[in-house]
Amino acid sequence: MKDLHSKLTIVNAIGAAVLAADNTPAAIDLQGYDSAEIVLAIGIGGITFDATNKVEFKLTESDDDVTYNAVAIEDMLGLTSVGTGGIIKSLIAAQAAATVSRFGYKGGKRYLKLLADFSGTHGTGTPISALVIKGNGFSNPQANQI
């Protein structure tokens, strides 16, 4: 059996919580890894999302952890487009069941940030969690950091 466990590190991008407002994105440092997978878990919507009352998940990248820019479609896997500001997923319709989505990052920047950007009125929160799986480590990573 091949060893995947020793080649991965998992870090929180958005800690599991019921959110009704923007999170404060943490910088995810990809130094020492050749790949990253973003795993987004979303529970049943606290509200019925629409074009005004929505959540947009925005992924940005940086070389220096100071200046962040939106990811481009050519740096992503599992998407057909990236919206303005790095939108990789939008909640704009009823979320009647929990979902899990995954997106690959193949860009060359060192840092990533994932923002859950809330617009409109969210009287009730929505359960959200996001992980970044850093893969193909080449510097003896500590596996399963959360």
Side-chain angles (χ1 to χ4, degrees), residues 122-141:
H122 294 263
T124 303
T126 298
I128 295 172
S129 175
L131 300 172
V132 174
I133 302 170
K134 302 188 289 186
N136 302 314
F138 53 87
S139 63
N140 196 14

Side-chain angles (χ1 to χ4, degrees), residues 30 34-40 59-61 71-82 86-89 101-109 112 114 131-136:
L30 300 177
D34 286 334
S35 62
E37 186 83 358
I38 294 91
V39 179
L40 184 56
L59 186 64
T60 55
E61 61 185 1
V71 295
I73 189 63
E74 58 267 11
D75 292 331
M76 299 300 298
L77 300 168
L79 293 169
T80 56
S81 66
V82 171
I87 299 169
I88 60 171
K89 183 167 182 70
S101 304
R102 67 186 189 106
F103 312 99
Y105 175 75
K106 63 178 185 172
K109 303 296 184 185
L112 296 176
L114 181 64
L131 300 172
V132 174
I133 302 170
K134 302 188 289 186
N136 302 314

Side-chain angles (χ1 to χ4, degrees), residues 3-146:
D3 176 13
L4 177 62
H5 182 83
S6 298
K7 294 178 171 61
L8 301 176
T9 298
I10 301 172
V11 295
N12 271 321
I14 301 174
V18 175
L19 300 177
D22 296 4
N23 66 302
T24 301
I28 307 297
D29 189 350
L30 300 177
Q31 184 175 25
Y33 297 87
D34 286 334
S35 62
E37 186 83 358
I38 294 91
V39 179
L40 184 56
I42 303 167
I44 295 171
I47 64 166
T48 300
F49 302 109
D50 57 33
T52 302
N53 301 305
K54 61 188 175 182
V55 183
E56 296 173 318
F57 294 90
K58 297 180 177 181
L59 186 64
T60 55
E61 61 185 1
S62 173
D63 281 324
D64 60 8
D65 195 24
V66 175
T67 304
Y68 280 82
N69 296 301
V71 295
I73 189 63
E74 58 267 11
D75 292 331
M76 299 300 298
L77 300 168
L79 293 169
T80 56
S81 66
V82 171
T84 304
I87 299 169
I88 60 171
K89 183 167 182 70
S90 296
L91 302 179
I92 55 173
Q95 173 87 1
T99 60
V100 175
S101 304
R102 67 186 189 106
F103 312 99
Y105 175 75
K106 63 178 185 172
K109 303 296 184 185
R110 178 172 170 181
Y111 299 95
L112 296 176
K113 282 188 178 182
L114 181 64
L115 169 68
D117 186 19
F118 285 71
S119 298
T121 302
H122 294 263
T124 303
T126 298
I128 295 172
S129 175
L131 300 172
V132 174
I133 302 170
K134 302 188 289 186
N136 302 314
F138 53 87
S139 63
N140 196 14
Q142 295 175 321
N144 296 320
Q145 287 183 358
I146 296 183

